[in-house]
Amino acid sequence: MKAILMDAHGGPDVLYLGEARKPVPSPTQILIRVMAVGVNPADYKWRGGMFAAFAPLSFPHIPGYDVAGIVEESPAGAAPKGTHVAAMLNSFTQGAYAEYAVVEADDVGLIPEGMRFEQAVAVPTPGLTGVQMAEEHMDAKPGQTLLITGATGAVGRFGLWAAKRRGAQVIAAVRAKHRDEAKALGADVVLTLGEEDWTGGAIDAVGDTVGGEIVEGLCRHVPASGRIFTAATDPIPAEHLAMPAVFFGVHPNGPQLTSLLQGIAKGEISMPVAKTMKLADAAIAQAEVEAGGAGKIVLIP
Ligand SMILES: NC(=O)c1ccc[n+]([C@@H]2O[C@H](COP(=O)([O-])OP(=O)(O)OC[C@H]3O[C@@H](n4cnc5c(N)ncnc54)[C@H](OP(=O)(O)O)[C@@H]3O)[C@@H](O)[C@H]2O)c1
């Protein structure tokens, strides 16, 4: 099959279009004919070797985690052939930048009828991360004041949606150009990150998707009874905070993904796709995501 491969960590130019063996699903897996691939910040971070010291990849490696496509084989009969599915793949196995991918059957989300693959594939990693951030980590509930940074980004918008759905008050900290969008997505208060401080009471929990020093000032409003969670890899300096930020990792969850896809189909939440590109242009797509501000890019094999 055709796939984007890499033989070593490095810049975007380590990615090349080549031939790889079509994967064979185990009894617990499903083989998907890939129709669309979502590009995430994780893709360029793994490519660059950010996690290589503790999570080494075997080469040649096929990158990519978010996949949408058609069930080609399901050895244990978990999904009929032809079913439209989306999934977040395991980071350590061969990835989604290919004509075929295998995924654990339990991790697969069902794409609602009529939803395009390009739309569905924009959801798995950011959707699961955002919802797990708000529900499992921040434990959003009525009466709480929560801060979500980067709240109009892919992860942030799902976190904002899930926190509002749970009845919490949400402060969104975003770039100035994203202020109106944050309000439209349901934020109760919008702050320009790095420029405006919060002048209300204590913040019960932070869900951070930006990371770094720019987030630190707002985190000072979290008392010792609060919690700071971050999905970002750029650490938040902790010396002036009541507690250090806790990094969390997303985990696959098929039923949660199905429910997110249904939420998109019903118009309860939006996840815009900025553009689609050919799979062969994966290096350009990753470079654009790495440069920032690209929005969601989807690759089509
Ligand atoms: N831990 C995990 O399991 C996990 C899972 C998924 C993602 N992540 C990480 O979470 C982060 C966000 O991912 P994503 O897919 O949501 O990316 P994204 O769609 O690019 O969203 C990031 C958001 O943060 C904004 N932003 C970035 N720098 C900013 C700054 N200095 N001030 C204000 N806003 C800023 C971006 O605005 P612009 O678009 O205008 O730059 C964008 O709205 C990444 O670091 C990613 O690697 C971690």
Side-chain angles (χ1 to χ4, degrees):
M1 66 170 182
K2 262 192 311 178
I4 296 293
L5 297 154
M6 51 189 262
D7 296 331
H9 292 294
D13 55 349
V14 300
L15 300 175
Y16 65 93
L17 184 66
E19 284 292 322
R21 195 173 293 167
K22 185 175 165 184
V24 178
S26 76
T28 62
Q29 292 177 324
I30 284 176
L31 176 69
I32 299 174
R33 178 151 64 89
V34 179
M35 304 301 288
V37 181
V39 180
N40 285 293
D43 299 11
Y44 72 76
K45 293 180 181 181
W46 280 86
R47 185 207 69 224
M50 184 181 279
F51 313 115
F54 58 91
L57 298 176
S58 56
F59 296 112
H61 178 71
I62 303 173
Y65 309 105
D66 282 352
V67 63
I70 302 171
V71 173
E72 179 94 356
E73 278 178 48
S74 174
K81 185 172 175 176
T83 308
H84 290 197
V85 294
M88 182 182 75
L89 305 184
N90 178 329
S91 323
F92 299 95
T93 55
Q94 295 293 20
Y97 287 29
E99 289 180 296
Y100 294 91
V102 289
V103 59
E104 292 300 320
D106 288 349
D107 299 346
V108 156
L110 298 174
I111 300 179
E113 212 175 310
M115 183 180 287
R116 292 166 59 85
F117 294 111
E118 291 90 325
Q119 171 66 82
V121 86
V123 177
T125 294
L128 293 170
T129 310
V131 168
Q132 290 167 12
M133 177 173 81
E135 296 183 354
E136 294 173 19
H137 301 289
M138 301 168 86
D139 191 20
K141 45 173 96 95
Q144 285 186 330
T145 300
L146 306 179
L147 169 71
I148 296 183
T149 62
T152 58
V155 173
R157 64 178 47 233
F158 284 100
L160 171 56
W161 173 70
K164 285 308 301 171
R165 196 175 53 160
R166 287 264 193 114
Q169 172 180 240
V170 180
I171 307 161
V174 297
R175 286 193 205 278
K177 65 178 178 183
H178 297 313
R179 291 184 67 100
D180 291 347
E181 194 182 1
K183 199 78 193 157
L185 286 171
D188 298 285
V189 179
V190 179
L191 300 175
T192 301
L193 187 60
E195 290 177 28
E196 280 179 287
D197 198 5
W198 166 243
T199 53
I203 293 174
D204 296 297
V206 174
D208 168 51
T209 75
V210 173
E213 241 169 73
I214 196 164
V215 175
E216 192 261 357
L218 288 172
C219 290
R220 294 187 188 198
H221 297 284
V222 181
S225 57
R227 299 163 322 278
I228 304 170
F229 298 100
T230 183
T233 40
D234 196 4
I236 303 169
E239 56 180 321
H240 300 298
L241 303 183
M243 82 287 295
V246 175
F247 178 81
F248 71 93
V250 61
H251 57 85
N253 183 327
Q256 198 169 42
L257 178 53
T258 298
S259 135
L260 280 168
L261 291 165
Q262 286 166 351
I264 298 262
K266 289 184 205 147
E268 292 169 7
I269 177 165
S270 66
M271 178 56 226
V273 173
K275 65 172 164 179
T276 58
M277 297 172 74
K278 288 185 285 192
L279 181 64
D281 291 330
I284 300 169
Q286 283 198 3
E288 289 185 11
V289 171
E290 192 164 3
K296 176 58 72 181
I297 299 182
V298 170
L299 301 172
I300 307 295

